[in-house]
Amino acid sequence: MKTPVPDYLDEIRTLCDAGEDGTLADYIPELAAVDPERFALAACMRDGVVYATGDADVEFTIQSMSKPFVYALALRDRGIDAVLAKVAVEPSGDAFNEISLEDSTGRPDNPMINIGALTTHALVGRPGTGEFDRDLIISAGLSAFAGRPLGFDDEVYRSEIETAFRNRAMANLVRATEIITDDPDEIVRGYTRQCAYRVTVRDLAVMAMTLATGGVNPVTGQRVVTPRVCRQVLSVMATCGMYDAAGDWMSTVGIPAKSGVSGGIFGALPGQLGLAAFSPRLDKHGHSVEGVRTFERLSRDMDLHLMNVDGADVEVVRSAVTDDEGGRRFRLQGPMTFATAELVLRQFEEIPAGPQTVTVDLEHVSTVNHTARRMLIEGMRRLGLDGHEVVLVDPERRLPDPGLSSPAPAGR
Ligand code: GLN
Protein backbone atom coordinates (compact mmCIF):
# COMPACT_ATOMS: atom_id res chain seq x y z
CA MET A 1 0.00 0.00 0.00
CA LYS A 2 1.11 3.59 -0.60
CA THR A 3 0.10 6.24 1.90
CA PRO A 4 -2.46 8.63 0.37
CA VAL A 5 -0.91 11.71 2.03
CA PRO A 6 1.27 12.75 -0.98
CA ASP A 7 -1.71 12.38 -3.35
CA TYR A 8 -3.72 14.62 -1.09
CA LEU A 9 -0.99 17.28 -1.04
CA ASP A 10 -0.73 17.14 -4.85
CA GLU A 11 -4.45 17.72 -5.09
CA ILE A 12 -4.29 20.75 -2.76
CA ARG A 13 -2.14 22.51 -5.30
CA THR A 14 -4.89 22.47 -7.91
CA LEU A 15 -7.61 23.23 -5.41
CA CYS A 16 -5.83 26.33 -4.11
CA ASP A 17 -4.79 27.82 -7.45
CA ALA A 18 -5.58 31.54 -7.26
CA GLY A 19 -4.76 32.35 -10.89
CA GLU A 20 -3.19 35.77 -11.15
CA ASP A 21 -4.56 37.16 -7.88
CA GLY A 22 -2.07 39.22 -5.91
CA THR A 23 1.09 41.14 -6.73
CA LEU A 24 4.82 40.58 -6.30
CA ALA A 25 6.68 42.47 -3.57
CA ASP A 26 8.23 45.22 -5.65
CA TYR A 27 9.66 47.37 -2.87
CA ILE A 28 12.59 44.95 -2.91
CA PRO A 29 13.48 45.13 -6.65
CA GLU A 30 15.06 41.68 -6.77
CA LEU A 31 11.89 40.03 -5.40
CA ALA A 32 9.85 41.46 -8.29
CA ALA A 33 12.03 39.42 -10.67
CA VAL A 34 10.88 35.95 -9.52
CA ASP A 35 8.62 33.57 -11.45
CA PRO A 36 5.14 34.35 -10.07
CA GLU A 37 3.75 30.96 -11.09
CA ARG A 38 5.79 28.96 -8.62
CA PHE A 39 3.97 26.90 -6.01
CA ALA A 40 5.30 24.51 -3.40
CA LEU A 41 4.01 22.83 -0.28
CA ALA A 42 5.72 20.70 2.35
CA ALA A 43 4.73 19.02 5.60
CA CYS A 44 7.21 17.71 8.15
CA MET A 45 6.03 14.99 10.51
CA ARG A 46 7.15 14.41 14.10
CA ASP A 47 9.66 11.75 13.08
CA GLY A 48 11.27 14.06 10.50
CA VAL A 49 9.58 12.57 7.41
CA VAL A 50 8.88 15.38 4.92
CA TYR A 51 6.15 15.23 2.28
CA ALA A 52 6.54 17.80 -0.46
CA THR A 53 4.85 18.78 -3.71
CA GLY A 54 5.33 21.36 -6.48
CA ASP A 55 8.53 23.43 -6.63
CA ALA A 56 9.68 22.00 -3.34
CA ASP A 57 13.39 22.31 -4.12
CA VAL A 58 13.23 25.89 -5.35
CA GLU A 59 15.00 28.27 -2.99
CA PHE A 60 13.68 31.70 -2.06
CA THR A 61 14.72 34.17 0.63
CA ILE A 62 13.39 33.63 4.12
CA GLN A 63 12.53 37.34 4.68
CA SER A 64 10.19 37.88 7.65
CA MET A 65 9.98 34.15 8.27
CA SER A 66 13.42 34.56 9.87
CA LYS A 67 11.84 36.67 12.64
CA PRO A 68 10.47 33.88 14.88
CA PHE A 69 13.75 31.95 14.67
CA VAL A 70 15.92 34.97 15.41
CA TYR A 71 13.54 35.79 18.29
CA ALA A 72 14.16 32.24 19.54
CA LEU A 73 17.93 32.81 19.37
CA ALA A 74 17.64 36.11 21.28
CA LEU A 75 15.49 34.41 23.95
CA ARG A 76 18.06 31.63 24.19
CA ASP A 77 20.99 34.05 24.44
CA ARG A 78 19.54 36.76 26.71
CA GLY A 79 16.66 35.07 28.54
CA ILE A 80 12.96 35.81 28.24
CA ASP A 81 12.86 38.72 30.72
CA ALA A 82 15.75 40.60 29.11
CA VAL A 83 14.15 40.30 25.67
CA LEU A 84 10.72 41.29 27.00
CA ALA A 85 12.28 44.41 28.51
CA LYS A 86 13.08 45.55 24.96
CA VAL A 87 10.28 44.11 22.79
CA ALA A 88 6.65 43.64 23.86
CA VAL A 89 4.36 40.78 22.77
CA GLU A 90 1.17 42.63 21.83
CA PRO A 91 -0.38 42.37 18.36
CA SER A 92 -0.03 45.77 16.72
CA GLY A 93 -3.02 45.46 14.41
CA ASP A 94 -0.92 47.36 11.88
CA ALA A 95 1.11 46.46 8.81
CA PHE A 96 4.54 44.87 9.21
CA ASN A 97 6.42 48.06 8.37
CA GLU A 98 4.53 50.47 10.65
CA ILE A 99 6.14 52.28 13.56
CA SER A 100 4.22 50.37 16.24
CA LEU A 101 5.56 51.25 19.67
CA GLU A 102 4.08 50.87 23.13
CA ASP A 103 3.16 54.37 24.43
CA SER A 104 4.48 54.01 27.96
CA THR A 105 7.83 52.35 27.26
CA GLY A 106 8.65 52.94 23.60
CA ARG A 107 9.18 49.18 23.17
CA PRO A 108 8.22 47.85 19.74
CA ASP A 109 4.85 46.09 20.02
CA ASN A 110 6.14 42.65 19.06
CA PRO A 111 9.08 40.85 17.42
CA MET A 112 7.16 39.88 14.25
CA ILE A 113 6.88 43.40 12.80
CA ASN A 114 9.95 45.07 11.34
CA ILE A 115 10.64 47.53 14.14
CA GLY A 116 10.45 44.69 16.69
CA ALA A 117 12.55 42.38 14.54
CA LEU A 118 15.27 45.01 14.10
CA THR A 119 15.40 45.33 17.90
CA THR A 120 15.35 41.55 18.39
CA HIS A 121 18.20 41.18 15.93
CA ALA A 122 20.34 43.38 18.22
CA LEU A 123 19.65 40.99 21.12
CA VAL A 124 21.25 37.93 19.54
CA GLY A 125 24.47 36.80 21.21
CA ARG A 126 25.88 38.02 24.50
CA PRO A 127 25.81 41.79 25.18
CA GLY A 128 28.65 43.38 23.24
CA THR A 129 28.54 40.87 20.37
CA GLY A 130 29.68 42.61 17.17
CA GLU A 131 28.11 42.58 13.70
CA PHE A 132 30.30 39.80 12.32
CA ASP A 133 29.82 37.44 15.27
CA ARG A 134 26.10 38.10 15.37
CA ASP A 135 25.89 37.11 11.71
CA LEU A 136 27.69 33.87 12.46
CA ILE A 137 25.35 33.07 15.36
CA ILE A 138 22.30 33.73 13.19
CA SER A 139 23.61 31.75 10.25
CA ALA A 140 24.41 28.79 12.53
CA GLY A 141 21.09 29.14 14.38
CA LEU A 142 18.88 29.26 11.26
CA SER A 143 20.84 26.33 9.81
CA ALA A 144 20.38 24.30 13.01
CA PHE A 145 16.62 24.88 12.79
CA ALA A 146 16.69 23.75 9.14
CA GLY A 147 19.08 20.85 9.71
CA ARG A 148 21.40 21.90 6.88
CA PRO A 149 23.71 24.86 6.17
CA LEU A 150 21.55 27.53 4.55
CA GLY A 151 22.90 29.55 1.63
CA PHE A 152 22.77 33.32 1.37
CA ASP A 153 21.35 35.45 -1.45
CA ASP A 154 23.72 38.36 -1.91
CA GLU A 155 21.68 39.86 -4.76
CA VAL A 156 18.51 40.07 -2.70
CA TYR A 157 20.53 41.48 0.19
CA ARG A 158 22.06 44.21 -1.97
CA SER A 159 18.76 44.97 -3.64
CA GLU A 160 17.03 45.40 -0.28
CA ILE A 161 19.77 47.30 1.56
CA GLU A 162 19.89 49.93 -1.18
CA THR A 163 16.25 50.76 -0.64
CA ALA A 164 15.93 50.04 3.11
CA PHE A 165 15.09 53.64 3.99
CA ARG A 166 12.13 52.73 6.13
CA ASN A 167 13.94 50.05 8.14
CA ARG A 168 16.85 52.47 8.60
CA ALA A 169 14.46 55.09 9.96
CA MET A 170 13.02 52.58 12.41
CA ALA A 171 16.42 51.38 13.63
CA ASN A 172 17.43 55.00 14.19
CA LEU A 173 14.22 55.58 16.12
CA VAL A 174 14.81 52.70 18.57
CA ARG A 175 18.42 53.89 18.89
CA ALA A 176 17.26 57.43 19.69
CA THR A 177 15.03 56.13 22.49
CA GLU A 178 17.85 53.85 23.69
CA ILE A 179 15.82 50.68 23.27
CA ILE A 180 18.93 49.58 21.41
CA THR A 181 22.40 50.93 22.04
CA ASP A 182 24.07 49.43 18.95
CA ASP A 183 24.88 51.32 15.78
CA PRO A 184 21.57 51.43 13.85
CA ASP A 185 23.25 51.00 10.45
CA GLU A 186 24.90 47.83 11.71
CA ILE A 187 21.52 46.53 12.90
CA VAL A 188 19.83 47.27 9.55
CA ARG A 189 22.62 45.51 7.67
CA GLY A 190 22.47 42.50 9.99
CA TYR A 191 18.67 42.31 9.92
CA THR A 192 18.61 42.60 6.11
CA ARG A 193 21.16 39.78 5.89
CA GLN A 194 19.05 37.68 8.25
CA CYS A 195 16.18 38.10 5.74
CA ALA A 196 18.33 36.98 2.78
CA TYR A 197 19.07 33.37 3.75
CA ARG A 198 17.80 30.94 1.16
CA VAL A 199 15.29 28.24 2.07
CA THR A 200 12.97 25.77 0.39
CA VAL A 201 9.54 24.75 1.67
CA ARG A 202 11.19 21.55 2.90
CA ASP A 203 13.58 23.60 5.05
CA LEU A 204 10.75 25.72 6.40
CA ALA A 205 8.63 22.66 7.23
CA VAL A 206 11.55 21.17 9.22
CA MET A 207 12.20 24.54 10.90
CA ALA A 208 8.51 24.74 11.81
CA MET A 209 8.52 21.20 13.17
CA THR A 210 11.57 22.04 15.30
CA LEU A 211 9.46 24.70 17.01
CA ALA A 212 6.48 22.32 17.15
CA THR A 213 8.51 19.58 18.89
CA GLY A 214 9.66 21.96 21.61
CA GLY A 215 13.07 22.67 20.12
CA VAL A 216 14.53 19.40 18.83
CA ASN A 217 15.17 19.22 15.09
CA PRO A 218 13.23 16.09 14.00
CA VAL A 219 15.73 15.29 11.23
CA THR A 220 19.09 15.81 12.96
CA GLY A 221 17.94 15.15 16.53
CA GLN A 222 19.80 18.28 17.65
CA ARG A 223 18.29 20.32 20.48
CA VAL A 224 18.28 23.87 19.13
CA VAL A 225 16.30 25.72 21.83
CA THR A 226 14.34 24.82 24.97
CA PRO A 227 10.62 23.98 25.13
CA ARG A 228 10.05 27.21 27.09
CA VAL A 229 11.60 29.26 24.25
CA CYS A 230 9.42 27.44 21.71
CA ARG A 231 6.31 28.13 23.75
CA GLN A 232 7.15 31.83 23.78
CA VAL A 233 7.87 31.93 20.03
CA LEU A 234 4.72 29.97 19.11
CA SER A 235 2.59 32.22 21.30
CA VAL A 236 3.91 35.31 19.58
CA MET A 237 3.47 33.71 16.15
CA ALA A 238 -0.14 32.84 17.04
CA THR A 239 -1.00 36.38 18.11
CA CYS A 240 1.26 38.53 15.90
CA GLY A 241 2.72 36.36 13.12
CA MET A 242 0.22 37.41 10.46
CA TYR A 243 0.35 41.15 11.36
CA ASP A 244 -2.93 42.97 10.80
CA ALA A 245 -4.58 39.74 9.61
CA ALA A 246 -3.58 37.80 12.76
CA GLY A 247 -7.09 37.57 14.26
CA ASP A 248 -8.64 36.47 10.99
CA TRP A 249 -5.88 33.89 10.50
CA MET A 250 -6.20 32.52 14.04
CA SER A 251 -9.95 32.07 13.74
CA THR A 252 -9.97 30.54 10.25
CA VAL A 253 -6.67 28.62 10.11
CA GLY A 254 -5.77 28.33 13.79
CA ILE A 255 -2.10 27.45 13.28
CA PRO A 256 0.72 29.65 14.70
CA ALA A 257 2.37 30.95 11.53
CA LYS A 258 4.65 33.49 9.92
CA SER A 259 4.75 34.83 6.40
CA GLY A 260 7.45 36.55 4.36
CA VAL A 261 7.29 38.94 1.39
CA SER A 262 9.11 36.40 -0.75
CA GLY A 263 5.82 34.44 -0.79
CA GLY A 264 6.45 31.83 1.89
CA ILE A 265 4.27 31.00 4.88
CA PHE A 266 5.16 28.45 7.49
CA GLY A 267 3.01 27.12 10.32
CA ALA A 268 3.85 25.09 13.39
CA LEU A 269 1.16 23.00 15.05
CA PRO A 270 2.48 22.14 18.54
CA GLY A 271 3.29 18.46 18.90
CA GLN A 272 1.84 17.61 15.49
CA LEU A 273 3.42 19.00 12.36
CA GLY A 274 5.36 21.67 10.53
CA LEU A 275 3.89 23.08 7.31
CA ALA A 276 5.20 25.45 4.66
CA ALA A 277 3.78 26.86 1.44
CA PHE A 278 5.35 29.06 -1.21
CA SER A 279 3.79 31.11 -3.98
CA PRO A 280 5.09 34.62 -4.72
CA ARG A 281 1.95 36.67 -5.40
CA LEU A 282 0.95 38.60 -2.26
CA ASP A 283 -2.25 40.05 -0.82
CA LYS A 284 -2.54 43.52 0.72
CA HIS A 285 -1.06 42.33 4.05
CA GLY A 286 2.03 40.95 2.30
CA HIS A 287 0.95 37.29 2.65
CA SER A 288 1.09 34.84 -0.24
CA VAL A 289 -2.40 34.60 -1.76
CA GLU A 290 -2.12 30.92 -2.63
CA GLY A 291 -0.23 30.26 0.59
CA VAL A 292 -3.13 31.60 2.65
CA ARG A 293 -5.62 29.58 0.60
CA THR A 294 -3.52 26.47 1.08
CA PHE A 295 -3.35 26.84 4.84
CA GLU A 296 -7.09 27.54 5.04
CA ARG A 297 -7.81 24.43 3.04
CA LEU A 298 -5.37 22.18 4.93
CA SER A 299 -6.66 23.35 8.28
CA ARG A 300 -10.27 22.67 7.27
CA ASP A 301 -9.66 19.34 5.54
CA MET A 302 -7.33 17.89 8.16
CA ASP A 303 -8.79 19.41 11.36
CA LEU A 304 -5.58 21.27 12.12
CA HIS A 305 -7.11 24.19 14.02
CA LEU A 306 -5.43 24.63 17.39
CA MET A 307 -8.78 25.31 19.05
CA ASN A 308 -10.43 22.14 17.75
CA VAL A 309 -11.71 20.18 20.70
CA ASP A 310 -10.88 16.54 20.10
CA GLY A 311 -11.41 13.68 22.48
CA ALA A 312 -13.11 15.70 25.23
CA ASP A 313 -15.91 13.14 25.31
CA VAL A 314 -13.64 10.16 26.10
CA GLU A 315 -14.43 8.64 29.50
CA VAL A 316 -11.37 8.97 31.71
CA VAL A 317 -12.38 6.02 33.85
CA ARG A 318 -12.79 3.18 31.38
CA SER A 319 -14.23 0.93 34.09
CA ALA A 320 -14.53 0.91 37.87
CA VAL A 321 -15.32 -2.50 39.37
CA THR A 322 -15.67 -3.78 42.91
CA ASP A 323 -14.46 -7.33 43.70
CA ASP A 324 -15.86 -9.82 46.25
CA GLU A 325 -13.71 -8.43 49.08
CA GLY A 326 -14.84 -4.88 48.35
CA GLY A 327 -11.58 -4.07 46.56
CA ARG A 328 -11.86 -1.46 43.81
CA ARG A 329 -10.20 -1.50 40.40
CA PHE A 330 -10.06 1.65 38.28
CA ARG A 331 -9.00 1.29 34.68
CA LEU A 332 -8.09 4.70 33.33
CA GLN A 333 -7.69 5.75 29.70
CA GLY A 334 -6.67 8.61 27.42
CA PRO A 335 -4.35 11.49 28.29
CA MET A 336 -3.91 12.40 31.95
CA THR A 337 -3.96 16.17 32.41
CA PHE A 338 -5.17 18.43 35.20
CA ALA A 339 -8.77 18.09 33.99
CA THR A 340 -8.80 14.30 33.62
CA ALA A 341 -6.80 13.62 36.79
CA GLU A 342 -9.26 15.80 38.71
CA LEU A 343 -12.10 13.49 37.63
CA VAL A 344 -10.11 10.48 38.82
CA LEU A 345 -9.43 12.11 42.21
CA ARG A 346 -13.15 12.73 42.66
CA GLN A 347 -13.82 9.04 42.10
CA PHE A 348 -11.13 8.17 44.66
CA GLU A 349 -12.87 10.52 47.08
CA GLU A 350 -15.99 8.37 46.98
CA ILE A 351 -14.20 5.27 48.29
CA PRO A 352 -14.94 4.88 52.00
CA ALA A 353 -11.87 4.53 54.29
CA GLY A 354 -10.95 0.94 55.00
CA PRO A 355 -8.49 -1.82 54.40
CA GLN A 356 -9.59 -2.78 50.86
CA THR A 357 -7.28 -2.93 47.91
CA VAL A 358 -7.55 -0.10 45.38
CA THR A 359 -6.03 -0.94 42.01
CA VAL A 360 -5.19 1.90 39.64
CA ASP A 361 -4.61 0.58 36.13
CA LEU A 362 -2.82 2.90 33.69
CA GLU A 363 -2.44 0.38 30.89
CA HIS A 364 -4.74 2.32 28.55
CA VAL A 365 -3.51 5.77 29.54
CA SER A 366 -1.79 7.48 26.59
CA THR A 367 0.14 10.26 28.36
CA VAL A 368 0.57 11.58 31.89
CA ASN A 369 1.61 15.20 32.09
CA HIS A 370 3.59 16.66 34.96
CA THR A 371 0.58 18.03 36.81
CA ALA A 372 -1.51 14.87 36.41
CA ARG A 373 1.42 12.83 37.68
CA ARG A 374 1.61 14.88 40.88
CA MET A 375 -2.16 14.70 41.32
CA LEU A 376 -2.35 10.93 40.89
CA ILE A 377 0.61 10.34 43.23
CA GLU A 378 -1.04 12.50 45.88
CA GLY A 379 -4.41 10.76 45.39
CA MET A 380 -2.82 7.35 45.86
CA ARG A 381 -0.92 8.60 48.91
CA ARG A 382 -4.17 9.76 50.47
CA LEU A 383 -5.87 6.43 49.71
CA GLY A 384 -2.94 4.83 51.57
CA LEU A 385 -3.53 7.15 54.54
CA ASP A 386 -7.18 6.06 54.51
CA GLY A 387 -5.98 2.51 55.16
CA HIS A 388 -6.16 1.12 51.60
CA GLU A 389 -3.58 -1.02 49.92
CA VAL A 390 -2.91 0.78 46.64
CA VAL A 391 -1.78 -1.35 43.74
CA LEU A 392 -0.56 0.40 40.62
CA VAL A 393 -0.68 -1.31 37.24
CA ASP A 394 1.70 0.80 35.19
CA PRO A 395 3.48 -1.20 32.47
CA GLU A 396 5.25 1.90 31.17
CA ARG A 397 6.37 2.93 34.69
CA ARG A 398 5.08 6.45 34.49
CA LEU A 399 4.34 6.78 38.20
CA PRO A 400 6.40 5.64 41.19
CA ASP A 401 5.19 2.50 42.99
CA PRO A 402 2.77 3.77 45.69
CA GLY A 403 3.98 1.01 48.04
CA LEU A 404 7.45 2.58 47.97
CA SER A 405 6.57 6.26 47.86
CA SER A 406 3.71 6.34 50.37
CA PRO A 407 4.84 7.34 53.86
CA ALA A 408 2.02 5.28 55.34
CA PRO A 409 1.59 2.22 53.13
CA ALA A 410 -1.48 0.47 54.34
CA GLY A 411 -2.03 -3.24 54.70
CA ARG A 412 1.61 -4.25 54.18
N1 GLN B 1 13.13 42.10 4.60
C1 GLN B 1 11.75 42.50 4.57
C2 GLN B 1 11.59 43.89 5.18
O1 GLN B 1 12.23 44.17 6.12
C3 GLN B 1 10.92 41.51 5.31
C4 GLN B 1 9.46 41.91 5.36
C5 GLN B 1 8.51 40.73 5.25
O2 GLN B 1 8.87 39.64 4.82
N2 GLN B 1 7.27 40.96 5.60
O3 GLN B 1 10.87 44.70 4.69
Side-chain angles (χ1 to χ4, degrees), residues 164-384:
F165 306 111
R166 215 181 153 87
N167 285 341
R168 230 172 260 142
M170 290 197 276
N172 276 284
L173 190 60
V174 282
R175 175 67 189 86
T177 55
E178 293 189 9
I179 293 283
I180 63 167
T181 48
D182 310 74
D183 169 16
D185 288 330
E186 176 186 316
I187 296 306
V188 176
R189 286 195 299 270
Y191 162 79
T192 309
R193 273 195 294 269
Q194 139 192 346
C195 291
Y197 283 96
R198 303 176 65 96
V199 288
T200 64
V201 283
R202 286 178 196 278
D203 295 322
L204 286 170
V206 173
M207 295 172 90
M209 193 64 220
T210 303
L211 289 175
T213 62
V216 175
N217 183 307
V219 176
T220 62
Q222 184 192 347
R223 169 159 298 285
V224 185
V225 286
T226 61
R228 180 66 185 88
V229 163
C230 289
R231 192 181 90 184
Q232 180 74 9
V233 173
L234 291 170
S235 307
V236 174
M237 282 167 60
T239 49
C240 313
M242 300 302 274
Y243 315 128
D244 43 339
D248 199 15
W249 177 270
M250 198 56 203
S251 59
T252 53
V253 179
I255 300 175
K258 187 73 205 76
S259 71
V261 286
S262 49
I265 303 180
F266 80 87
L269 197 58
Q272 293 193 48
L273 89 162
L275 284 171
F278 168 61
S279 172
R281 289 196 182 94
L282 309 179
D283 65 16
K284 64 174 191 297
H285 306 287
H287 308 320
S288 163
V289 174
E290 288 184 348
V292 169
R293 279 195 183 213
T294 302
F295 269 84
E296 284 173 353
R297 180 88 200 195
L298 288 169
S299 171
R300 202 171 61 228
D301 284 1
M302 302 200 288
D303 289 326
L304 299 180
H305 200 296
L306 203 55
M307 303 303 174
N308 275 347
V309 182
D310 287 329
D313 51 353
V314 171
E315 291 292 341
V316 180
V317 179
R318 187 182 167 109
S319 65
V321 292
T322 308
D323 65 23
D324 296 343
E325 280 94 54
R328 306 272 288 153
R329 184 182 186 99
F330 293 90
R331 296 171 79 203
L332 310 181
Q333 65 184 0
M336 288 294 135
T337 60
F338 170 79
T340 53
E342 190 277 336
L343 287 169
V344 174
L345 292 182
R346 249 187 291 149
Q347 297 230 359
F348 286 175
E349 198 176 42
E350 283 172 18
I351 309 171
Q356 304 87 352
T357 304
V358 178
T359 305
V360 182
D361 184 343
L362 304 186
E363 200 180 337
H364 296 279
V365 164
S366 53
T367 51
V368 183
N369 80 6
H370 187 64
T371 301
R373 184 173 189 274
R374 282 182 7 232
M375 290 167 77
L376 292 173
I377 291 172
E378 178 62 11
M380 292 191 297
R381 189 183 76 85
R382 290 184 179 206
L383 286 172

Side-chain angles (χ1 to χ4, degrees), residues 27-28 62-65 67 96 114 160 167 191 195 243 258-262 286:
Y27 77 100
I28 301 175
I62 189 167
Q63 296 301 336
S64 280
M65 293 176 289
K67 292 170 179 172
F96 70 91
N114 284 13
E160 181 168 5
N167 285 341
Y191 162 79
C195 291
Y243 315 128
K258 187 73 205 76
S259 71
V261 286
S262 49

